[in-house]
Each structure stands twice: as C-alpha cells, then as structure tokens.
C-alpha cells in the first residue's frame, strides 16, 4: 500500500487501510443504529438519548470550551473523523456541506459538527482550518484523548490507531463513519447515511426537522 495525501488539505494521510474496512464498519454501525432507532420509535419509550449521545465538553477551533448544552434549541448533525483522513471524511463532509446548502432556511436550525478521533494531531487550529474548508457552518471540535474517548463512547463510535511506521505521526485512524442527527433537546433522533449524496442527506434531514 502507498502513502497518499488528503485531497482537502494536501497533508500526508499515511498508508491507507483497505477501503472495504471502512465500509464494513460503517455498515455494521448503521445497522445497529437503525435497529436502535426503530426500537425507540416503535416503543415510544423516549430512551434514544440514553442509547446514543450524551453530555460532552470539547474545544472549538479558537480553543474555546464548547458543550453539548450550547446547542440546545438547534438540531446537531454530528460526524466523527480526522483531518488526515484520505477519502472517507472529506467525501462525507463535502456532501454534508451540499446538504446544508440544499436545506435553505431550514439550515439555520441545524449545527453540523465534526469531532476528531485524532486529538494528538488535530489541535484546535487544525480542526478550525479543516472545517472551514467545507462550509463556514461546520463546527470543528477536539479535546484531550480522554475527552474524545468519552464522547466516542457516548455516541457508540468505533475508532482505533493503525500504525504505519515508527515515527510519532506514522499512523492512520480506523473509524466508523456515520452521521448522528440529534434533536433540539440533545437526544438522538436518527442516523443519517454518511455515504449518501448531499441531495439524499438534505431530504432525510428535512423529514426529521420540524
């Protein structure tokens, strides 16, 4: 396998794991989440917040503390990835940017959020520049390894470091790829397919956003 660069940043992406790994992981998580969502909607028990999502305090691109409660009253579209990601993350975030454009006035009700799973490299300045490359509406968040581990656990996100060499920056990150739509009350509403087009995402989001 060869070393490639992220087309969005030009930075080295490391040795890319087989693409099908991301697809399999994303599919498994999607199946689990869609099953979870179906159970919650059918049961009417209101347990979605306990199953997916939870409180977090992270840092934005300016190093300012940002908490989940800061987004109350707005929908959150949460995606976990990393800035050195060679293809999956930039592809997904490009479609998110397109979806936000297509939502028109409804976009004011939505806060798309990118949370890194690579806090060692993704400093506040890095996530700020990365998020801004897609759309000014995208909020990039990072934190300590412990904070990232906690929020990933709350959102049932899989991620793991994949070493590609002996150097400190010689690694990529394996991670699940799915979008989480959270309601104005902070509770999980539904998963949104990360491999969907912007038009498909916008249509799905519009259905859930009242």
């Amino acid at each position: 396998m060869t070393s490639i660069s992220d087309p969005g940043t030009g930075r080295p992406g490391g040795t890319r794991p087989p693409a099908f790994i991301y697809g399999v992981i994303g599919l498994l998580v999607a199946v689990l989440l869609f099953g979870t969502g179906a159970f919650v909607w059918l049961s009417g028990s209101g347990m979605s917040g306990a199953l997916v999502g939870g409180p977090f305090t992270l840092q934005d691109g300016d190093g300012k503390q940002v908490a989940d409660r800061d987004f109350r009253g707005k929908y959150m579209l949460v995606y976990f990835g990393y800035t050195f990601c060679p293809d999956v993350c930039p592809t997904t975030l490009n479609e998110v940017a397109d979806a936000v454009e297509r939502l028109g006035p409804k976009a004011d009700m939505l806060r798309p959020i990118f949370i890194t799973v690579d806090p060692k490299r993704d400093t506040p300045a890095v996530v700020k520049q990365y998020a801004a490359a897609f759309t000014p509406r995208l909020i990039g968040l990072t934190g300590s390894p412990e904070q990232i581990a906690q929020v990933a656990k709350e959102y049932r996100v899989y991620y793991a470091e994949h070493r590609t060499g002996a150097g400190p920056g010689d690694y990529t990150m394996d991670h699940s790829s799915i979008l989480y739509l959270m309601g104005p009350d902070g509770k999980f509403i539904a998963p949104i397919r990360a491999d969907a087009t912007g038009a498909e995402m916008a249509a799905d989001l519009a259905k859930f956003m009242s």
Side-chain angles (χ1 to χ4, degrees):
M1 292 183 287
T2 58
S3 178
I4 64 175
S5 295
D6 182 334
T9 64
R11 294 193 295 266
T15 301
R16 186 170 72 182
F20 76 88
I21 291 178
Y22 291 123
V24 171
I25 293 170
L27 178 61
L28 289 174
V29 174
V31 168
L32 289 172
L33 284 175
F34 273 110
T36 295
F39 170 78
V40 172
W41 296 326
L42 291 174
S43 68
S45 62
M47 292 176 59
S48 59
L51 295 170
V52 178
F56 63 77
T57 300
L58 299 170
Q59 294 178 34
D60 68 9
D62 296 318
K64 177 185 174 183
Q65 282 199 338
V66 175
D68 62 295
R69 61 182 177 273
D70 295 332
F71 301 101
R72 292 295 182 267
K74 304 288 185 180
Y75 292 86
M76 295 190 299
L77 185 63
V78 184
Y79 183 73
F80 289 80
Y82 68 116
T83 68
F84 280 71
C85 183
D87 46 23
V88 176
C89 300
T91 298
T92 298
L93 293 174
N94 272 324
E95 298 302 333
V96 167
D98 182 42
V100 170
E101 277 297 311
R102 292 172 180 273
L103 282 174
K106 277 195 172 184
D108 292 335
M109 301 165 58
L110 182 70
R111 294 293 180 268
I113 298 171
F114 168 79
I115 299 178
T116 183
V117 294
D118 184 16
K120 288 191 292 186
R121 291 185 294 201
D122 289 346
T123 63
V126 171
V127 295
K128 180 178 183 178
Q129 181 181 20
Y130 186 74
F134 297 100
T135 170
R137 292 181 181 269
L138 182 62
I139 301 168
L141 297 179
T142 187
S144 68
E146 293 77 18
Q147 288 174 316
I148 296 301
Q150 180 60 36
V151 68
K153 180 179 179 181
E154 291 170 345
Y155 279 79
R156 310 301 190 260
V157 171
Y158 163 82
Y159 72 101
E161 187 176 296
H162 177 81
R163 298 299 308 179
T164 59
D170 293 337
Y171 65 91
T172 59
M173 298 296 296
D174 299 337
H175 64 93
S176 52
S177 181
I178 196 163
L179 292 154
Y180 302 82
L181 180 63
M182 313 299 289
D185 58 358
K187 294 182 179 179
F188 174 67
I189 294 178
I192 303 296
R193 284 175 42 219
D195 62 345
T197 66
E200 291 168 337
M201 286 183 190
D204 287 341
L205 290 169
K207 287 189 297 186
F208 291 112
M209 294 169 60
S210 57

